[in-house]
Amino acid sequence: MSTQETVTEMQAGQPLYAATLALLTLLLLGQTNWIWSSLYFQYHTASEITLAFGLLATFVIVCIALLRGGLGQATTIKMINVGIALLLTLVGFAYLKQLELIPMQSNALHKTLAVASAITASLLTLKITIDTWKRLYLAGIVGGMIFIFFPVVLANTNASTVYWPSPSYQPPTIAAPNMPSQNTIVLLLDELSASSAGPVVKQLQATGLHVTATNIDPAGKNTINVIPAIWMRTNFDQSVACGPTQLCSTSKVLDFSKVKASSENIDIVGFYHRYCSIQGLRSCSFSPFPTKSAATELACSYPGGQELKFLGCEASESDRKSFLALRDNMKKMLMEAPFWKKGGILFAHLLVPHPLMGIPLKTLNEEYSDNITYGASVVGLVAHRAKLVFGDNFRIVVFSDHPLRPEIWCADKTYMAIKCKPDSSQISNQVPLIIATFNLKNKAPLKIENNKDVFDLLYQFESK
């Protein structure tokens, strides 16, 4: 083949190459939230995510090569253009959900609009000339890459240094005053309704502690909203992962790698959030969620992926066992923290009484009741251990991020198969704030009305 023939063949194939690259860019763009969430919540490592997208890119390129060989370049390009239109529609609706302009749980109307928009966009691609498409490919590639990486660059730039804990009478960006010497255990029991806190109170009272229990407002609807609100002292209603250690809500950013502990005697036990990225902690134990491989989760995250049974996208009994193991392991780490030998402050965000993922064995209200009993037993164990180690010189603070969310769990297909109607006593708009101590001066030192102010209590402790 002559040099001229080679150049001519390459030029003929250029639109296909550009179309393929544009399609791959949009496949990546459509999973931006999945990428940052996987990194932030530590579901997968960067290398695992890169490998998953590498496999996806290989699969797409092979399919396009087979289509070109069987249908020709012109038809293949038209099919790619339709795919690009579908992906743009998908990204657009995902963005509207993120902005809360349409609900996260799409109803029939929203799904109909999405399908109609996708079909309309696909038909319009057939009216666009190839010269126009060449310009659109370039715009899609450049614009897509900017859209993918701009949020994390912006988040890195906007994130301020935050001092935690810090009192609410000053911004968290100002170095916190010295906290009084203390032995305080702060337990965040995930998804504990104020109306369901009775068993926890009884466990604390059984150890001889003076207990004060009040109801307070949550700083958000979900854990992803509440935790950054507590750290930043401001609402994070549109909170999404926007980087490996960052959460963003409109222009507000919390970067856990830029959080500095206000004391050197703080231990953390937690899951889900990037607590262990905080600087200056004495110790930190993190429990990652059990997940499938990055390649499987990536495939399942695309429309239609859930229908491919061989991927195993649906929850399984083994997943449930993994969550039970995670819950029990967190209890073990809680009891092994340096706090028990050195005192100071121990903060634990525990996966109780949060409903467990996987196939449920009981109705939601039965399982939630069992989980409350389990959580109360953990609190009782902590109280007995603290009494043994510290005598009467300690305090336990128990609160929650948000109450039980039946609107979420009863819409989940894992609970729909079983009666999913929680007991009315489990439903509340508030969460509990429970303070237990031997020292009556520390019984109710502050009037806390919102859980984003709970850590104010660390500045109100009188050690013996």
Side-chain angles (χ1 to χ4, degrees):
M1 182 182 291
S2 67
T3 302
Q4 182 61 39
E5 289 174 330
T6 303
V7 171
T8 301
E9 184 176 323
M10 289 179 63
Q11 289 175 342
Q14 280 180 355
L16 180 62
Y17 302 149
T20 301
L21 186 56
L23 178 65
L24 291 173
T25 301
L26 284 175
L27 284 171
L28 184 63
L29 173 61
Q31 296 302 319
T32 302
N33 287 340
W34 180 83
I35 294 170
W36 298 130
S37 294
S38 294
L39 291 172
Y40 177 85
F41 299 116
Q42 301 181 66
Y43 297 150
H44 306 292
T45 64
S47 58
E48 289 172 340
I49 293 171
T50 301
L51 178 60
F53 274 101
L55 292 173
L56 176 63
T58 301
F59 175 76
V60 170
I61 291 170
V62 169
C63 288
I64 290 174
L66 292 174
L67 287 172
R68 183 187 184 186
L71 301 176
Q73 178 169 293
T75 302
T76 301
I77 289 177
K78 288 181 180 179
M79 294 181 69
I80 293 175
N81 293 343
V82 170
I84 289 173
L86 292 174
L87 282 170
L88 282 174
T89 305
L90 172 66
V91 171
F93 271 82
Y95 190 66
L96 291 175
K97 285 184 178 181
Q98 183 176 321
L99 294 177
E100 297 186 354
L101 296 177
I102 59 176
M104 294 301 292
Q105 298 291 336
S106 300
N107 56 32
L109 175 61
H110 298 130
K111 291 178 181 179
T112 302
L113 286 174
V115 172
S117 299
I119 293 174
T120 302
S122 300
L123 293 175
L124 288 175
T125 64
L126 303 177
K127 303 293 184 179
I128 301 174
T129 65
I130 188 63
D131 290 333
T132 302
W133 268 115
K134 289 178 182 179
R135 292 190 290 272
L136 291 176
Y137 296 148
L138 179 60
I141 293 167
V142 175
M145 297 307 293
I146 292 175
F147 198 90
I148 291 166
F149 293 104
F150 180 73
V152 71
V153 173
L154 186 65
N156 249 325
T157 304
N158 287 354
S160 303
T161 298
V162 172
Y163 297 89
W164 173 86
S166 61
S168 59
Y169 57 75
Q170 67 174 49
T173 53
I174 298 176
N178 292 329
M179 287 182 290
S181 176
Q182 59 189 287
N183 301 311
T184 299
I185 304 161
V186 182
L187 301 177
L188 193 168
L189 302 188
D190 200 299
E191 201 150 344
L192 177 63
S193 299
S195 56
S196 302
V200 176
V201 172
K202 289 180 180 179
Q203 284 283 351
L204 291 168
Q205 290 173 333
T207 62
L209 294 168
H210 298 283
V211 180
T212 298
T214 57
N215 297 338
I216 58 177
D217 295 324
K221 297 179 180 178
N222 305 296
T223 305
I224 196 172
N225 309 118
V226 174
I227 297 302
I230 291 174
W231 259 252
M232 295 291 288
R233 305 251 184 215
T234 185
N235 289 337
F236 259 69
D237 292 337
Q238 296 178 344
S239 183
V240 293
C242 55
T245 58
Q246 294 104 3
L247 290 173
C248 296
S249 178
T250 58
S251 62
K252 294 172 286 191
V253 181
L254 169 63
D255 186 345
F256 271 104
S257 69
K258 293 185 179 181
V259 176
K260 293 185 176 181
S262 301
S263 177
E264 297 178 350
N265 63 348
I266 300 177
D267 302 319
I268 291 183
V269 175
F271 72 104
Y272 199 65
H273 285 288
R274 293 301 296 253
Y275 298 117
C276 294
S277 296
I278 296 174
Q279 303 174 44
L281 295 174
R282 179 171 57 193
S283 74
C284 186
S285 299
F286 177 84
S287 295
F289 269 3
T291 59
K292 301 176 179 66
S293 71
T296 299
E297 285 207 341
L298 177 61
C300 292
S301 66
Y302 284 105
Q306 294 281 342
E307 307 304 321
L308 301 176
K309 300 300 182 183
F310 67 89
L311 290 175
C313 299
E314 297 292 338
S316 65
E317 291 185 16
S318 60
D319 292 329
R320 189 176 187 81
K321 292 177 182 177
S322 298
F323 278 103
L324 287 169
L326 181 153
R327 186 182 73 175
D328 294 339
N329 185 58
M330 292 185 69
K331 174 182 173 182
K332 179 175 179 288
M333 292 189 298
L334 173 64
M335 304 311 293
E336 292 177 351
F339 168 83
W340 300 109
K341 293 182 179 179
K342 301 178 180 180
I345 298 167
L346 172 59
F347 168 63
H349 179 181
L350 304 178
L351 186 62
V352 287
H354 191 290
L356 296 170
M357 276 58 82
I359 299 174
L361 305 179
K362 300 180 179 180
T363 61
L364 179 62
N365 64 311
E366 290 173 330
E367 181 178 282
Y368 188 64
S369 180
D370 289 347
N371 293 349
I372 290 172
T373 300
Y374 177 90
S377 70
V378 173
V379 174
L381 179 65
V382 167
H384 283 289
R385 176 78 176 275
K387 185 177 180 180
L388 179 65
V389 174
F390 302 110
D392 60 356
N393 187 26
F394 72 93
R395 177 179 53 170
I396 298 174
V397 176
V398 181
F399 75 110
S400 184
D401 47 355
H402 53 79
L404 177 65
R405 302 162 297 173
E407 69 280 3
I408 290 179
W409 297 109
C410 292
D412 190 290
K413 63 178 61 177
T414 58
Y415 281 94
M416 286 174 66
I418 306 176
K419 181 183 177 182
C420 189
K421 186 177 181 181
D423 188 278
S424 59
S425 64
Q426 299 172 343
I427 306 300
S428 175
N429 292 324
Q430 294 185 300
V431 295
L433 174 61
I434 304 166
I435 304 171
T437 179
F438 279 108
N439 187 350
L440 286 175
K441 292 182 180 180
N442 291 312
K443 188 176 180 182
L446 282 179
K447 182 175 178 56
I448 304 293
E449 296 181 350
N450 191 288
N451 59 2
K452 71 174 179 284
D453 299 324
V454 165
F455 287 101
D456 280 3
L457 295 170
L458 298 181
Y459 293 88
Q460 302 290 325
F461 186 75
E462 296 184 22
S463 182
K464 294 186 67 175

